[in-house]
Every structure is written in structure tokens, then in C-alpha cells.
Amino acid sequence: MGATDLDLRKVRYFVAVAEHRSFVRAAEALHIAQPVLSRQIRSLEHDLKATLFDRDTKGTRLTAAGEVLLEEALSLLAAADAARRRVRDAAAGSRRFTVGFTPGVSIAPAVREFAARHADVSVEVLRMDFVHRADSVRDGQVDVGYLRLPVRTHGLSIEPLFSEPRVVELPTGHRLAQRATVRIAELRAERMLLDDVAQPRDGSPASPEEHTERPVLAARSIEELLEHVAAGRGVVVVPLSTALYFARPDITHVVIEDLDPSHVCLAWRSSRRDALIREYIDIARRTASARRLGGNGTVSDHSSFDTMHGRD
């Protein structure tokens, strides 16, 4: 689905109705008459040859087709806004390049080298949302983003950078806190605070298209999850660099010896063909190749990622 296939105004109207769950409230928010809004939605349904809403006495609900369109529409509209911003920047004679990052992944060497090469480009960094991190890349908020797999890669191209061990975060008084390593079977009785589809190495790896890490508790960040760990409400499996980045005295981490490593990749929208993106990818891969961690593990290159995903 591309911007040329749909009238973006109709798509914006559709999103308003979907979010308000009411044609009346959506029309008020859009400052248009309700009959006009209804005609635009019917026109969009005609364009797509699909019914998007079910309307009855209980209200307005999305159909299955409407649910799919809403997921696509949010990214589509954000991408259109990002495109307009890039065009305005170019017309004004300025260029901006935004790098999305995940806490614990070092981006400074690549950003520093890239910025030194392009004094005419405003190089910015943006911390991506903990749960919906891939959306920042997909909707154009960032030009490239450092992502940890598994994550939905629909609409994205990815370049593997490195892999690292995964560890379990435990309260310091936990029965396993003094161990050098643990096996995943030893954690079966624990309450896992992240639904990260953890699999031992002898199991089938989860597809990055099918799964994403989701907090079991209502948590918007790693920091909030670690508060639950410290309070004894459960444990969480994270990459080693994340544990080191968020180190605190009331929590310790132990390497899980039989769990697949965490794979870090660089992602960008598949439709983008910018020379700056390709240059940044080259710099990021080179600066990441020698990256090592102190403490309980080592970051490796992407060979295990290639094996896991069938890449040559």
C-alpha cells in the first residue's frame, strides 16, 4: 500500500473515525459535517472494495479489513508527514538525518564519524519507544534505527550488526543471584516480566516477523520493568549490554547459557534509497564489528544471525 494508491485525506478521516469510534465525534474533531465524513468513508470503502466499519445501535466498530487498514494507515500517514518534512528541508537548503537508538547499544562511534563527514547535515538522535521501536523506523521518525530482534520487520530492510548473550535480571537476594550462569529450564518457575518468546538453543528460533517483546505488566520502559524486578515481582530476560547500561545495586544479572543470543541490526524503510542511509549503514557495520563488552560476555559479529536466518 503506497501513498499514490490512496487519497491521504480519506485515510486521515478513516483514522479519526477509528480512534473516536464515532462518526459524530470524528466529524466534530475534524471540523466537518457528518454527512461529508460519511461520504468520504464510503468513497474510501469503494476504492478499497472493502467494508471498514460496522455500525449498529452499540456504536461504530472496525471490521477485520478496517483493523488491517488502521495498522497500515498510521504508518502511512506518519511516513507522508516525514516525506513532507524532508522535502521542506531540501527546499530550504538544509538536510537532517535522524538515528534511532535503543539504550545499551552504543551508537556514538558511528554517529560521530558520520557527522564529521557531513558538516552540512544536522545529525540527530532519538530514543525509540521500548515496545513499538520498529514503528519509529517504519513511520519515518528516524532515517535508520538500531533494533533488537525479534521485531516485526514488515516494510523494513535490515543489516545485521552484532549478537550478544542474554541474561536474566534478578533481585540481589534471589536464589540464583550468586550463580555464574543459569539454564532456561531453571527459570520456568519464575514470573517472566517480558513475553520475549525465549527459546533454548536446541529449539526452533522465533521468526522476527511474528513476535515482539511485550511487557507482561503495564510497563512503558525497561526502567519500569526493573523496578518490578527489584520489588520481587518477577524476573526479566534482557541483552547483556542492556543489563550493564541499567546496572543498579539492588539487581544483578546472570548469563543464560542455553538461550539464543540477542541480535542487533540496523533498520530502515525498504522504500528509501538515500545515499546517506547506505553510507551510515557502512559506517555502523564497520564500527560495530570490533565492539566488545566487559563483564560477563562478549559481543560477536553477525555470523550467528546469518545462520539463524538462513543468510549467506
Side-chain angles (χ1 to χ4, degrees), residues 32-43:
I32 62 175
Q34 182 185 340
V36 173
L37 176 59
S38 297
R39 283 197 299 272
Q40 292 298 313
I41 296 301
R42 285 197 299 271
S43 176

Side-chain angles (χ1 to χ4, degrees), residues 137-153:
V137 185
R138 195 175 290 111
D139 65 19
Q141 289 185 63
V142 302
D143 294 283
V144 295
Y146 289 78
L147 301 180
R148 295 186 188 277
L149 300 181
V151 69
R152 286 188 66 244
T153 55

Side-chain angles (χ1 to χ4, degrees), residues 150 166 197-208 210-211 260-261 263 304-305 307-310:
R166 286 200 280 176
V197 291
Q199 295 289 337
R201 286 201 184 95
D202 57 357
S204 299
S207 165
E210 296 174 356
H211 300 289
D260 280 326
H263 299 288
S304 60
F305 176 100
T307 299
M308 176 178 170
H309 295 277

Side-chain angles (χ1 to χ4, degrees), residues 14-280:
F14 161 78
V15 170
V17 176
E19 291 180 342
H20 288 278
R21 298 177 181 270
S22 164
F23 277 76
V24 173
R25 291 194 295 272
E28 291 173 350
L30 293 167
H31 303 292
I32 62 175
Q34 182 185 340
V36 173
L37 176 59
S38 297
R39 283 197 299 272
Q40 292 298 313
I41 296 301
R42 285 197 299 271
S43 176
L44 179 60
E45 290 177 324
H46 179 267
D47 293 342
L48 295 173
K49 296 179 174 56
T51 300
L52 302 174
F53 294 103
D54 283 330
R55 303 172 68 179
D56 55 30
T57 55
K58 296 181 180 179
T60 301
R61 299 185 306 278
L62 286 168
T63 63
E67 293 281 1
V68 171
L69 179 59
L70 181 60
E71 180 179 351
E72 296 286 349
L74 295 173
S75 295
L76 178 63
L77 294 175
D81 290 340
R84 280 191 287 268
R85 184 175 63 249
R86 290 195 299 271
V87 170
R88 287 196 299 266
D89 287 347
S94 62
R95 289 194 295 176
R96 184 180 352 183
F97 191 89
T98 304
V99 180
F101 70 93
T102 300
V105 177
S106 175
I107 68 171
V111 170
R112 187 165 49 242
E113 180 176 336
F114 182 82
R117 290 188 184 187
H118 298 281
D120 60 328
V121 176
S122 175
V123 182
E124 302 174 358
V125 296
L126 175 71
R127 177 171 173 169
M128 295 183 295
D129 179 80
F130 167 55
V131 176
H132 305 290
R133 52 199 182 275
D135 292 342
S136 298
V137 185
R138 195 175 290 111
D139 65 19
Q141 289 185 63
V142 302
D143 294 283
V144 295
Y146 289 78
L147 301 180
R148 295 186 188 277
L149 300 181
V151 69
R152 286 188 66 244
T153 55
H154 170 67
L156 303 179
S157 295
I158 61 174
E159 179 72 21
L161 295 177
F162 61 86
S163 300
E164 60 177 307
R166 286 200 280 176
V167 304
V168 59
E169 295 271 36
L170 306 165
T172 51
H174 192 277
R175 61 186 175 84
L176 300 173
Q178 302 305 313
R179 295 274 296 275
T181 64
V182 297
R183 298 182 67 82
I184 193 64
E186 297 178 90
L187 302 174
R188 297 299 186 198
E190 304 294 333
R191 185 187 189 193
M192 292 291 194
L193 299 182
L194 261 187
D195 178 18
D196 63 350
V197 291
Q199 295 289 337
R201 286 201 184 95
D202 57 357
S204 299
S207 165
E209 286 286 354
E210 296 174 356
H211 300 289
T212 57
E213 294 176 340
R214 299 283 178 179
V216 173
L217 297 178
R220 295 165 294 180
S221 66
I222 285 290
E223 292 96 327
E224 290 185 14
L225 283 173
L226 293 181
E227 289 296 335
H228 290 301
V229 173
R233 295 172 183 157
V235 303
V236 62
V237 174
V238 299
L240 175 58
S241 62
T242 300
L244 296 175
Y245 184 87
F246 292 103
R248 46 189 286 178
D250 53 353
I251 292 176
T252 189
H253 63 270
V254 179
V255 172
I256 305 175
E257 62 183 61
D258 62 338
L259 194 60
D260 280 326
S262 170
H263 299 288
V264 175
C265 67
L266 197 66
W268 65 100
R269 290 183 62 210
S270 298
S271 59
R272 298 283 301 277
R273 297 290 186 270
D274 305 33
L276 288 179
I277 290 179
R278 176 47 59 186
E279 182 178 356
Y280 187 89

